[in-house]
Amino acid sequence: FFYRLTLAAGGSGTPPERLRRALRSIAEFARDSRRLTAGLLRDGMNGEREVAAFVARNFPRHVPLLFALFEEGVKRGDFRRVPPPFFMSFCMAAINAPGVVLTLLEDHGARRPFGRTLADLERDLLSDGALDERVDMVLAALATSRRRA
């Protein structure tokens, strides 16, 4: 995962372009690993020490990469300045929450959440187009007023 994220965030392009690629990479991982993500959240909230150790080992590599892209964009005038924890929580909630919610609905036997079948809801929330739309919305929300359409 970290290797793919590093490749996505690197290379040519403006900070918004590189952040788009990085967030898309995270979104794909979150979608493809949504059961793992939901389990980690559940176990972490229940105080499982192994989860805390996993987070302590892995997140320090990912977070600085995203913060660096964001800060570069702030300096260039691409992104509005918000506190780093706000930036991270906003991005990760938009990227991860739909898959976690869908997994919880499935695990608890929901039949027609939001009036939709689970298959339709999965398509609505986790298709490639849905991932792209969420990343676009995150970038639009972070954009400075001069960068918004």
Side-chain angles (χ1 to χ4, degrees):
F1 167 72
F2 185 67
Y3 178 73
R4 287 189 325 186
L5 176 60
T6 302
L7 285 177
S12 64
T14 65
E17 291 166 344
R18 292 175 21 239
L19 184 59
R20 175 186 306 282
R21 292 192 309 260
L23 292 175
R24 185 59 161 81
S25 177
I26 293 168
E28 287 174 10
F29 178 81
R31 174 188 60 197
D32 298 343
S33 305
R34 66 186 173 95
R35 294 205 171 278
L36 171 66
T37 302
L40 286 172
L41 284 171
R42 182 177 24 247
D43 292 348
M45 292 176 74
N46 287 327
E48 294 290 332
R49 291 179 190 253
E50 294 85 12
V51 173
F54 174 81
V55 169
R57 269 191 321 273
N58 290 288
F59 281 41
R61 296 187 307 166
H62 309 130
V63 172
L65 188 94
L66 296 174
F67 281 159
L69 285 172
F70 176 65
E71 187 59 32
E72 186 181 342
V74 168
K75 288 178 182 173
R76 281 177 26 107
D78 296 322
F79 301 132
R80 66 171 82 188
R81 180 167 297 284
V82 296
F86 180 97
F87 160 75
M88 187 60 70
S89 63
F90 177 73
C91 291
M92 293 305 103
I95 298 301
N96 289 299
V100 171
V101 168
L102 179 62
T103 301
L104 293 174
L105 291 170
E106 290 170 343
D107 289 353
H108 292 284
R111 293 179 190 239
R112 291 188 60 80
F114 308 105
R116 320 260 305 141
T117 67
L118 287 172
D120 286 341
L121 194 57
E122 181 175 5
R123 202 169 25 259
D124 291 346
L125 295 176
L126 301 179
S127 67
D128 285 345
L131 300 184
D132 289 335
E133 187 68 28
R134 281 201 304 281
V135 169
D136 287 347
M137 292 174 81
V138 166
L139 291 171
L142 292 172
T144 58
S145 58
R146 71 182 179 91
R147 299 278 185 191
R148 291 187 197 159

